[in-house]
mmCIF file with all atom_site columns, all heavy atoms in Angstrom:
data_model
loop_
_atom_site.group_PDB
_atom_site.id
_atom_site.type_symbol
_atom_site.label_atom_id
_atom_site.label_alt_id
_atom_site.label_comp_id
_atom_site.label_asym_id
_atom_site.label_entity_id
_atom_site.label_seq_id
_atom_site.pdbx_PDB_ins_code
_atom_site.Cartn_x
_atom_site.Cartn_y
_atom_site.Cartn_z
_atom_site.occupancy
_atom_site.B_iso_or_equiv
_atom_site.pdbx_formal_charge
_atom_site.auth_seq_id
_atom_site.auth_comp_id
_atom_site.auth_asym_id
_atom_site.auth_atom_id
_atom_site.pdbx_PDB_model_num
ATOM 1   N N   . LEU Z 1 2  ? 0.278   -7.590  10.421  1.00 0.00 ? 2  LEU Z N   1
ATOM 2   C CA  . LEU Z 1 2  ? 0.407   -7.947  9.054   1.00 0.00 ? 2  LEU Z CA  1
ATOM 3   C C   . LEU Z 1 2  ? 0.259   -9.435  8.847   1.00 0.00 ? 2  LEU Z C   1
ATOM 4   O O   . LEU Z 1 2  ? -0.402  -9.927  7.933   1.00 0.00 ? 2  LEU Z O   1
ATOM 5   C CB  . LEU Z 1 2  ? 1.755   -7.433  8.512   1.00 0.00 ? 2  LEU Z CB  1
ATOM 6   C CG  . LEU Z 1 2  ? 2.003   -7.461  7.059   1.00 0.00 ? 2  LEU Z CG  1
ATOM 7   C CD1 . LEU Z 1 2  ? 0.919   -6.661  6.287   1.00 0.00 ? 2  LEU Z CD1 1
ATOM 8   C CD2 . LEU Z 1 2  ? 3.316   -6.998  6.745   1.00 0.00 ? 2  LEU Z CD2 1
ATOM 9   N N   . ARG Z 1 4  ? -1.556  -11.479 10.610  1.00 0.00 ? 4  ARG Z N   1
ATOM 10  C CA  . ARG Z 1 4  ? -2.972  -11.782 10.739  1.00 0.00 ? 4  ARG Z CA  1
ATOM 11  C C   . ARG Z 1 4  ? -3.775  -11.394 9.510   1.00 0.00 ? 4  ARG Z C   1
ATOM 12  O O   . ARG Z 1 4  ? -4.604  -12.191 9.070   1.00 0.00 ? 4  ARG Z O   1
ATOM 13  C CB  . ARG Z 1 4  ? -3.513  -11.051 11.987  1.00 0.00 ? 4  ARG Z CB  1
ATOM 14  C CG  . ARG Z 1 4  ? -4.882  -11.474 12.345  1.00 0.00 ? 4  ARG Z CG  1
ATOM 15  C CD  . ARG Z 1 4  ? -5.263  -10.907 13.688  1.00 0.00 ? 4  ARG Z CD  1
ATOM 16  N NE  . ARG Z 1 4  ? -6.625  -11.283 13.935  1.00 0.00 ? 4  ARG Z NE  1
ATOM 17  C CZ  . ARG Z 1 4  ? -7.477  -10.537 14.652  1.00 0.00 ? 4  ARG Z CZ  1
ATOM 18  N NH1 . ARG Z 1 4  ? -7.046  -9.430  15.209  1.00 0.00 ? 4  ARG Z NH1 1
ATOM 19  N NH2 . ARG Z 1 4  ? -8.738  -10.884 14.759  1.00 0.00 ? 4  ARG Z NH2 1
ATOM 20  N N   . VAL Z 1 10 ? -6.519  -15.565 3.015   1.00 0.00 ? 10 VAL Z N   1
ATOM 21  C CA  . VAL Z 1 10 ? -6.427  -16.762 2.235   1.00 0.00 ? 10 VAL Z CA  1
ATOM 22  C C   . VAL Z 1 10 ? -7.649  -17.268 1.519   1.00 0.00 ? 10 VAL Z C   1
ATOM 23  O O   . VAL Z 1 10 ? -7.598  -17.878 0.534   1.00 0.00 ? 10 VAL Z O   1
ATOM 24  C CB  . VAL Z 1 10 ? -5.867  -17.990 3.081   1.00 0.00 ? 10 VAL Z CB  1
ATOM 25  C CG1 . VAL Z 1 10 ? -4.436  -17.734 3.602   1.00 0.00 ? 10 VAL Z CG1 1
ATOM 26  C CG2 . VAL Z 1 10 ? -6.823  -18.335 4.185   1.00 0.00 ? 10 VAL Z CG2 1
ATOM 27  N N   . VAL Z 1 16 ? -6.201  -5.459  -0.064  1.00 0.00 ? 16 VAL Z N   1
ATOM 28  C CA  . VAL Z 1 16 ? -5.792  -3.993  -0.328  1.00 0.00 ? 16 VAL Z CA  1
ATOM 29  C C   . VAL Z 1 16 ? -5.179  -3.479  0.979   1.00 0.00 ? 16 VAL Z C   1
ATOM 30  O O   . VAL Z 1 16 ? -5.888  -3.458  1.975   1.00 0.00 ? 16 VAL Z O   1
ATOM 31  C CB  . VAL Z 1 16 ? -6.927  -3.105  -0.780  1.00 0.00 ? 16 VAL Z CB  1
ATOM 32  C CG1 . VAL Z 1 16 ? -6.550  -1.753  -0.977  1.00 0.00 ? 16 VAL Z CG1 1
ATOM 33  C CG2 . VAL Z 1 16 ? -7.619  -3.759  -2.059  1.00 0.00 ? 16 VAL Z CG2 1
ATOM 34  N N   . ASP Z 1 18 ? -4.082  -0.178  2.076   1.00 0.00 ? 18 ASP Z N   1
ATOM 35  C CA  . ASP Z 1 18 ? -3.938  1.234   1.744   1.00 0.00 ? 18 ASP Z CA  1
ATOM 36  C C   . ASP Z 1 18 ? -2.890  1.895   2.583   1.00 0.00 ? 18 ASP Z C   1
ATOM 37  O O   . ASP Z 1 18 ? -2.738  1.704   3.804   1.00 0.00 ? 18 ASP Z O   1
ATOM 38  C CB  . ASP Z 1 18 ? -5.301  1.855   1.985   1.00 0.00 ? 18 ASP Z CB  1
ATOM 39  C CG  . ASP Z 1 18 ? -5.437  3.210   1.388   1.00 0.00 ? 18 ASP Z CG  1
ATOM 40  O OD1 . ASP Z 1 18 ? -4.859  3.548   0.383   1.00 0.00 ? 18 ASP Z OD1 1
ATOM 41  O OD2 . ASP Z 1 18 ? -6.215  4.017   1.976   1.00 0.00 ? 18 ASP Z OD2 1
ATOM 42  N N   . SER Z 1 20 ? 0.167   1.419   2.777   1.00 0.00 ? 20 SER Z N   1
ATOM 43  C CA  . SER Z 1 20 ? 1.184   0.549   3.407   1.00 0.00 ? 20 SER Z CA  1
ATOM 44  C C   . SER Z 1 20 ? 2.628   0.846   2.960   1.00 0.00 ? 20 SER Z C   1
ATOM 45  O O   . SER Z 1 20 ? 3.575   0.789   3.754   1.00 0.00 ? 20 SER Z O   1
ATOM 46  C CB  . SER Z 1 20 ? 0.944   -0.951  3.027   1.00 0.00 ? 20 SER Z CB  1
ATOM 47  O OG  . SER Z 1 20 ? 0.767   -1.085  1.622   1.00 0.00 ? 20 SER Z OG  1
ATOM 48  N N   . ASP Z 1 25 ? 7.851   3.307   4.360   1.00 0.00 ? 25 ASP Z N   1
ATOM 49  C CA  . ASP Z 1 25 ? 8.752   4.498   4.239   1.00 0.00 ? 25 ASP Z CA  1
ATOM 50  C C   . ASP Z 1 25 ? 9.122   5.051   5.557   1.00 0.00 ? 25 ASP Z C   1
ATOM 51  O O   . ASP Z 1 25 ? 10.224  5.603   5.764   1.00 0.00 ? 25 ASP Z O   1
ATOM 52  C CB  . ASP Z 1 25 ? 8.236   5.433   3.187   1.00 0.00 ? 25 ASP Z CB  1
ATOM 53  C CG  . ASP Z 1 25 ? 9.141   6.614   2.875   1.00 0.00 ? 25 ASP Z CG  1
ATOM 54  O OD1 . ASP Z 1 25 ? 10.370  6.387   2.560   1.00 0.00 ? 25 ASP Z OD1 1
ATOM 55  O OD2 . ASP Z 1 25 ? 8.696   7.722   3.027   1.00 0.00 ? 25 ASP Z OD2 1
ATOM 56  N N   . ASN Z 1 27 ? 8.987   3.658   8.464   1.00 0.00 ? 27 ASN Z N   1
ATOM 57  C CA  . ASN Z 1 27 ? 9.384   2.601   9.401   1.00 0.00 ? 27 ASN Z CA  1
ATOM 58  C C   . ASN Z 1 27 ? 8.323   2.294   10.462  1.00 0.00 ? 27 ASN Z C   1
ATOM 59  O O   . ASN Z 1 27 ? 8.656   1.884   11.535  1.00 0.00 ? 27 ASN Z O   1
ATOM 60  C CB  . ASN Z 1 27 ? 10.718  2.967   10.093  1.00 0.00 ? 27 ASN Z CB  1
ATOM 61  C CG  . ASN Z 1 27 ? 11.850  3.099   9.110   1.00 0.00 ? 27 ASN Z CG  1
ATOM 62  O OD1 . ASN Z 1 27 ? 12.029  2.262   8.319   1.00 0.00 ? 27 ASN Z OD1 1
ATOM 63  N ND2 . ASN Z 1 27 ? 12.648  4.212   9.202   1.00 0.00 ? 27 ASN Z ND2 1
ATOM 64  N N   . LEU Z 1 28 ? 7.054   2.370   10.004  1.00 0.00 ? 28 LEU Z N   1
ATOM 65  C CA  . LEU Z 1 28 ? 5.969   1.957   10.870  1.00 0.00 ? 28 LEU Z CA  1
ATOM 66  C C   . LEU Z 1 28 ? 5.562   0.475   10.581  1.00 0.00 ? 28 LEU Z C   1
ATOM 67  O O   . LEU Z 1 28 ? 4.830   -0.124  11.348  1.00 0.00 ? 28 LEU Z O   1
ATOM 68  C CB  . LEU Z 1 28 ? 4.744   2.876   10.649  1.00 0.00 ? 28 LEU Z CB  1
ATOM 69  C CG  . LEU Z 1 28 ? 5.021   4.357   10.936  1.00 0.00 ? 28 LEU Z CG  1
ATOM 70  C CD1 . LEU Z 1 28 ? 3.825   5.186   10.456  1.00 0.00 ? 28 LEU Z CD1 1
ATOM 71  C CD2 . LEU Z 1 28 ? 5.263   4.547   12.422  1.00 0.00 ? 28 LEU Z CD2 1
ATOM 72  N N   . SER Z 1 30 ? 7.247   -3.114  8.710   1.00 0.00 ? 30 SER Z N   1
ATOM 73  C CA  . SER Z 1 30 ? 8.516   -3.850  8.246   1.00 0.00 ? 30 SER Z CA  1
ATOM 74  C C   . SER Z 1 30 ? 8.487   -4.195  6.732   1.00 0.00 ? 30 SER Z C   1
ATOM 75  O O   . SER Z 1 30 ? 7.703   -4.964  6.340   1.00 0.00 ? 30 SER Z O   1
ATOM 76  C CB  . SER Z 1 30 ? 8.773   -5.098  9.101   1.00 0.00 ? 30 SER Z CB  1
ATOM 77  O OG  . SER Z 1 30 ? 9.773   -5.884  8.485   1.00 0.00 ? 30 SER Z OG  1
ATOM 78  N N   . GLU Z 1 31 ? 9.439   -3.633  5.997   1.00 0.00 ? 31 GLU Z N   1
ATOM 79  C CA  . GLU Z 1 31 ? 9.567   -3.949  4.604   1.00 0.00 ? 31 GLU Z CA  1
ATOM 80  C C   . GLU Z 1 31 ? 9.946   -5.432  4.419   1.00 0.00 ? 31 GLU Z C   1
ATOM 81  O O   . GLU Z 1 31 ? 9.381   -6.113  3.586   1.00 0.00 ? 31 GLU Z O   1
ATOM 82  C CB  . GLU Z 1 31 ? 10.620  -3.056  3.977   1.00 0.00 ? 31 GLU Z CB  1
ATOM 83  C CG  . GLU Z 1 31 ? 10.792  -3.332  2.492   1.00 0.00 ? 31 GLU Z CG  1
ATOM 84  C CD  . GLU Z 1 31 ? 11.723  -2.313  1.809   1.00 0.00 ? 31 GLU Z CD  1
ATOM 85  O OE1 . GLU Z 1 31 ? 12.950  -2.380  2.129   1.00 0.00 ? 31 GLU Z OE1 1
ATOM 86  O OE2 . GLU Z 1 31 ? 11.280  -1.533  1.010   1.00 0.00 ? 31 GLU Z OE2 1
ATOM 87  N N   . ASP Z 1 32 ? 10.799  -5.885  5.317   1.00 0.00 ? 32 ASP Z N   1
ATOM 88  C CA  . ASP Z 1 32 ? 11.244  -7.358  5.129   1.00 0.00 ? 32 ASP Z CA  1
ATOM 89  C C   . ASP Z 1 32 ? 10.066  -8.254  5.447   1.00 0.00 ? 32 ASP Z C   1
ATOM 90  O O   . ASP Z 1 32 ? 9.901   -9.151  4.665   1.00 0.00 ? 32 ASP Z O   1
ATOM 91  C CB  . ASP Z 1 32 ? 12.319  -7.624  6.258   1.00 0.00 ? 32 ASP Z CB  1
ATOM 92  C CG  . ASP Z 1 32 ? 13.598  -7.035  5.988   1.00 0.00 ? 32 ASP Z CG  1
ATOM 93  O OD1 . ASP Z 1 32 ? 13.917  -6.758  4.805   1.00 0.00 ? 32 ASP Z OD1 1
ATOM 94  O OD2 . ASP Z 1 32 ? 14.416  -6.797  6.934   1.00 0.00 ? 32 ASP Z OD2 1
ATOM 95  N N   . ARG Z 1 33 ? 9.214   -7.908  6.408   1.00 0.00 ? 33 ARG Z N   1
ATOM 96  C CA  . ARG Z 1 33 ? 8.044   -8.798  6.649   1.00 0.00 ? 33 ARG Z CA  1
ATOM 97  C C   . ARG Z 1 33 ? 7.044   -8.743  5.455   1.00 0.00 ? 33 ARG Z C   1
ATOM 98  O O   . ARG Z 1 33 ? 6.451   -9.743  5.056   1.00 0.00 ? 33 ARG Z O   1
ATOM 99  C CB  . ARG Z 1 33 ? 7.373   -8.341  7.894   1.00 0.00 ? 33 ARG Z CB  1
ATOM 100 C CG  . ARG Z 1 33 ? 6.173   -9.254  8.269   1.00 0.00 ? 33 ARG Z CG  1
ATOM 101 C CD  . ARG Z 1 33 ? 5.638   -9.040  9.660   1.00 0.00 ? 33 ARG Z CD  1
ATOM 102 N NE  . ARG Z 1 33 ? 6.453   -9.795  10.585  1.00 0.00 ? 33 ARG Z NE  1
ATOM 103 C CZ  . ARG Z 1 33 ? 6.619   -9.526  11.847  1.00 0.00 ? 33 ARG Z CZ  1
ATOM 104 N NH1 . ARG Z 1 33 ? 5.996   -8.584  12.419  1.00 0.00 ? 33 ARG Z NH1 1
ATOM 105 N NH2 . ARG Z 1 33 ? 7.303   -10.326 12.550  1.00 0.00 ? 33 ARG Z NH2 1
ATOM 106 N N   . HIS Z 1 37 ? 5.813   -11.831 3.098   1.00 0.00 ? 37 HIS Z N   1
ATOM 107 C CA  . HIS Z 1 37 ? 4.405   -12.208 2.794   1.00 0.00 ? 37 HIS Z CA  1
ATOM 108 C C   . HIS Z 1 37 ? 4.051   -12.162 1.316   1.00 0.00 ? 37 HIS Z C   1
ATOM 109 O O   . HIS Z 1 37 ? 3.339   -13.031 0.887   1.00 0.00 ? 37 HIS Z O   1
ATOM 110 C CB  . HIS Z 1 37 ? 3.438   -11.204 3.669   1.00 0.00 ? 37 HIS Z CB  1
ATOM 111 C CG  . HIS Z 1 37 ? 3.352   -11.565 5.002   1.00 0.00 ? 37 HIS Z CG  1
ATOM 112 N ND1 . HIS Z 1 37 ? 2.733   -12.717 5.474   1.00 0.00 ? 37 HIS Z ND1 1
ATOM 113 C CD2 . HIS Z 1 37 ? 3.716   -10.848 6.213   1.00 0.00 ? 37 HIS Z CD2 1
ATOM 114 C CE1 . HIS Z 1 37 ? 2.784   -12.708 6.836   1.00 0.00 ? 37 HIS Z CE1 1
ATOM 115 N NE2 . HIS Z 1 37 ? 3.366   -11.603 7.248   1.00 0.00 ? 37 HIS Z NE2 1
ATOM 116 N N   . GLU Z 1 39 ? 6.095   -12.854 -0.996  1.00 0.00 ? 39 GLU Z N   1
ATOM 117 C CA  . GLU Z 1 39 ? 6.741   -14.024 -1.643  1.00 0.00 ? 39 GLU Z CA  1
ATOM 118 C C   . GLU Z 1 39 ? 5.993   -15.322 -1.251  1.00 0.00 ? 39 GLU Z C   1
ATOM 119 O O   . GLU Z 1 39 ? 6.057   -16.290 -2.002  1.00 0.00 ? 39 GLU Z O   1
ATOM 120 C CB  . GLU Z 1 39 ? 8.220   -14.068 -1.218  1.00 0.00 ? 39 GLU Z CB  1
ATOM 121 C CG  . GLU Z 1 39 ? 9.056   -13.021 -1.821  1.00 0.00 ? 39 GLU Z CG  1
ATOM 122 C CD  . GLU Z 1 39 ? 10.448  -12.955 -1.300  1.00 0.00 ? 39 GLU Z CD  1
ATOM 123 O OE1 . GLU Z 1 39 ? 10.764  -13.615 -0.201  1.00 0.00 ? 39 GLU Z OE1 1
ATOM 124 O OE2 . GLU Z 1 39 ? 11.342  -12.343 -1.921  1.00 0.00 ? 39 GLU Z OE2 1
ATOM 125 N N   . GLU Z 1 40 ? 5.370   -15.371 -0.086  1.00 0.00 ? 40 GLU Z N   1
ATOM 126 C CA  . GLU Z 1 40 ? 4.716   -16.557 0.371   1.00 0.00 ? 40 GLU Z CA  1
ATOM 127 C C   . GLU Z 1 40 ? 3.213   -16.541 0.274   1.00 0.00 ? 40 GLU Z C   1
ATOM 128 O O   . GLU Z 1 40 ? 2.470   -17.508 0.638   1.00 0.00 ? 40 GLU Z O   1
ATOM 129 C CB  . GLU Z 1 40 ? 5.057   -16.758 1.879   1.00 0.00 ? 40 GLU Z CB  1
ATOM 130 C CG  . GLU Z 1 40 ? 6.544   -17.028 2.088   1.00 0.00 ? 40 GLU Z CG  1
ATOM 131 C CD  . GLU Z 1 40 ? 6.926   -17.046 3.593   1.00 0.00 ? 40 GLU Z CD  1
ATOM 132 O OE1 . GLU Z 1 40 ? 5.993   -16.873 4.441   1.00 0.00 ? 40 GLU Z OE1 1
ATOM 133 O OE2 . GLU Z 1 40 ? 8.150   -17.241 3.804   1.00 0.00 ? 40 GLU Z OE2 1
ATOM 134 N N   . GLU Z 1 43 ? -1.183  -18.299 -4.356  1.00 0.00 ? 43 GLU Z N   1
ATOM 135 C CA  . GLU Z 1 43 ? -1.018  -18.110 -5.803  1.00 0.00 ? 43 GLU Z CA  1
ATOM 136 C C   . GLU Z 1 43 ? -2.163  -17.181 -6.372  1.00 0.00 ? 43 GLU Z C   1
ATOM 137 O O   . GLU Z 1 43 ? -1.943  -16.250 -7.080  1.00 0.00 ? 43 GLU Z O   1
ATOM 138 C CB  . GLU Z 1 43 ? -0.890  -19.316 -6.612  1.00 0.00 ? 43 GLU Z CB  1
ATOM 139 C CG  . GLU Z 1 43 ? -0.576  -19.053 -8.040  1.00 0.00 ? 43 GLU Z CG  1
ATOM 140 C CD  . GLU Z 1 43 ? -0.305  -20.382 -8.782  1.00 0.00 ? 43 GLU Z CD  1
ATOM 141 O OE1 . GLU Z 1 43 ? 0.201   -21.294 -8.198  1.00 0.00 ? 43 GLU Z OE1 1
ATOM 142 O OE2 . GLU Z 1 43 ? -0.733  -20.509 -9.988  1.00 0.00 ? 43 GLU Z OE2 1
ATOM 143 N N   . GLU Z 1 46 ? -4.296  -11.504 -5.076  1.00 0.00 ? 46 GLU Z N   1
ATOM 144 C CA  . GLU Z 1 46 ? -3.701  -10.235 -5.535  1.00 0.00 ? 46 GLU Z CA  1
ATOM 145 C C   . GLU Z 1 46 ? -3.503  -9.305  -4.350  1.00 0.00 ? 46 GLU Z C   1
ATOM 146 O O   . GLU Z 1 46 ? -4.472  -9.119  -3.518  1.00 0.00 ? 46 GLU Z O   1
ATOM 147 C CB  . GLU Z 1 46 ? -4.615  -9.527  -6.575  1.00 0.00 ? 46 GLU Z CB  1
ATOM 148 C CG  . GLU Z 1 46 ? -4.624  -10.261 -7.893  1.00 0.00 ? 46 GLU Z CG  1
ATOM 149 C CD  . GLU Z 1 46 ? -3.415  -10.103 -8.715  1.00 0.00 ? 46 GLU Z CD  1
ATOM 150 O OE1 . GLU Z 1 46 ? -2.711  -9.076  -8.574  1.00 0.00 ? 46 GLU Z OE1 1
ATOM 151 O OE2 . GLU Z 1 46 ? -3.135  -10.991 -9.473  1.00 0.00 ? 46 GLU Z OE2 1
ATOM 152 N N   . ASN Z 1 53 ? 6.419   7.020   -2.068  1.00 0.00 ? 53 ASN Z N   1
ATOM 153 C CA  . ASN Z 1 53 ? 7.860   6.698   -1.879  1.00 0.00 ? 53 ASN Z CA  1
ATOM 154 C C   . ASN Z 1 53 ? 8.164   5.182   -1.731  1.00 0.00 ? 53 ASN Z C   1
ATOM 155 O O   . ASN Z 1 53 ? 8.883   4.849   -0.742  1.00 0.00 ? 53 ASN Z O   1
ATOM 156 C CB  . ASN Z 1 53 ? 8.395   7.490   -0.698  1.00 0.00 ? 53 ASN Z CB  1
ATOM 157 C CG  . ASN Z 1 53 ? 8.232   8.946   -0.858  1.00 0.00 ? 53 ASN Z CG  1
ATOM 158 O OD1 . ASN Z 1 53 ? 8.312   9.535   -1.978  1.00 0.00 ? 53 ASN Z OD1 1
ATOM 159 N ND2 . ASN Z 1 53 ? 7.919   9.629   0.231   1.00 0.00 ? 53 ASN Z ND2 1
ATOM 160 N N   . ASP Z 1 63 ? 4.298   -6.536  -9.421  1.00 0.00 ? 63 ASP Z N   1
ATOM 161 C CA  . ASP Z 1 63 ? 3.909   -6.888  -10.767 1.00 0.00 ? 63 ASP Z CA  1
ATOM 162 C C   . ASP Z 1 63 ? 3.502   -5.646  -11.612 1.00 0.00 ? 63 ASP Z C   1
ATOM 163 O O   . ASP Z 1 63 ? 3.709   -5.573  -12.736 1.00 0.00 ? 63 ASP Z O   1
ATOM 164 C CB  . ASP Z 1 63 ? 2.723   -7.888  -10.792 1.00 0.00 ? 63 ASP Z CB  1
ATOM 165 C CG  . ASP Z 1 63 ? 3.218   -9.246  -10.275 1.00 0.00 ? 63 ASP Z CG  1
ATOM 166 O OD1 . ASP Z 1 63 ? 4.315   -9.616  -10.546 1.00 0.00 ? 63 ASP Z OD1 1
ATOM 167 O OD2 . ASP Z 1 63 ? 2.389   -9.891  -9.546  1.00 0.00 ? 63 ASP Z OD2 1
ATOM 168 N N   . SER Z 1 66 ? 2.116   1.886   -10.519 1.00 0.00 ? 66 SER Z N   1
ATOM 169 C CA  . SER Z 1 66 ? 1.361   3.049   -11.138 1.00 0.00 ? 66 SER Z CA  1
ATOM 170 C C   . SER Z 1 66 ? 1.623   4.280   -10.223 1.00 0.00 ? 66 SER Z C   1
ATOM 171 O O   . SER Z 1 66 ? 1.738   4.159   -9.034  1.00 0.00 ? 66 SER Z O   1
ATOM 172 C CB  . SER Z 1 66 ? -0.131  2.730   -11.278 1.00 0.00 ? 66 SER Z CB  1
ATOM 173 O OG  . SER Z 1 66 ? -0.314  1.593   -12.077 1.00 0.00 ? 66 SER Z OG  1
ATOM 174 N N   . ALA Z 1 81 ? -7.109  21.162  3.481   1.00 0.00 ? 81 ALA Z N   1
ATOM 175 C CA  . ALA Z 1 81 ? -7.071  19.747  3.770   1.00 0.00 ? 81 ALA Z CA  1
ATOM 176 C C   . ALA Z 1 81 ? -8.165  19.389  4.797   1.00 0.00 ? 81 ALA Z C   1
ATOM 177 O O   . ALA Z 1 81 ? -8.380  20.125  5.769   1.00 0.00 ? 81 ALA Z O   1
ATOM 178 C CB  . ALA Z 1 81 ? -5.703  19.314  4.268   1.00 0.00 ? 81 ALA Z CB  1
ATOM 179 N N   . ILE Z 1 85 ? -9.174  12.907  5.468   1.00 0.00 ? 85 ILE Z N   1
ATOM 180 C CA  . ILE Z 1 85 ? -9.092  12.754  3.975   1.00 0.00 ? 85 ILE Z CA  1
ATOM 181 C C   . ILE Z 1 85 ? -7.708  13.004  3.550   1.00 0.00 ? 85 ILE Z C   1
ATOM 182 O O   . ILE Z 1 85 ? -7.009  12.195  3.128   1.00 0.00 ? 85 ILE Z O   1
ATOM 183 C CB  . ILE Z 1 85 ? -10.159 13.677  3.278   1.00 0.00 ? 85 ILE Z CB  1
ATOM 184 C CG1 . ILE Z 1 85 ? -11.524 13.448  3.832   1.00 0.00 ? 85 ILE Z CG1 1
ATOM 185 C CG2 . ILE Z 1 85 ? -10.047 13.432  1.792   1.00 0.00 ? 85 ILE Z CG2 1
ATOM 186 C CD1 . ILE Z 1 85 ? -12.098 12.032  3.636   1.00 0.00 ? 85 ILE Z CD1 1
#
Side-chain angles (χ1 to χ4, degrees):
L2 191 59
R4 189 168 175 211
V10 297
V16 179
D18 193 30
S20 55
D25 183 52
N27 295 314
L28 301 171
S30 167
E31 181 176 67
D32 289 336
R33 181 170 277 160
H37 281 295
E39 290 173 343
E40 296 174 359
E43 188 174 322
E46 290 288 330
N53 303 321
D63 291 323
S66 300
I85 307 297

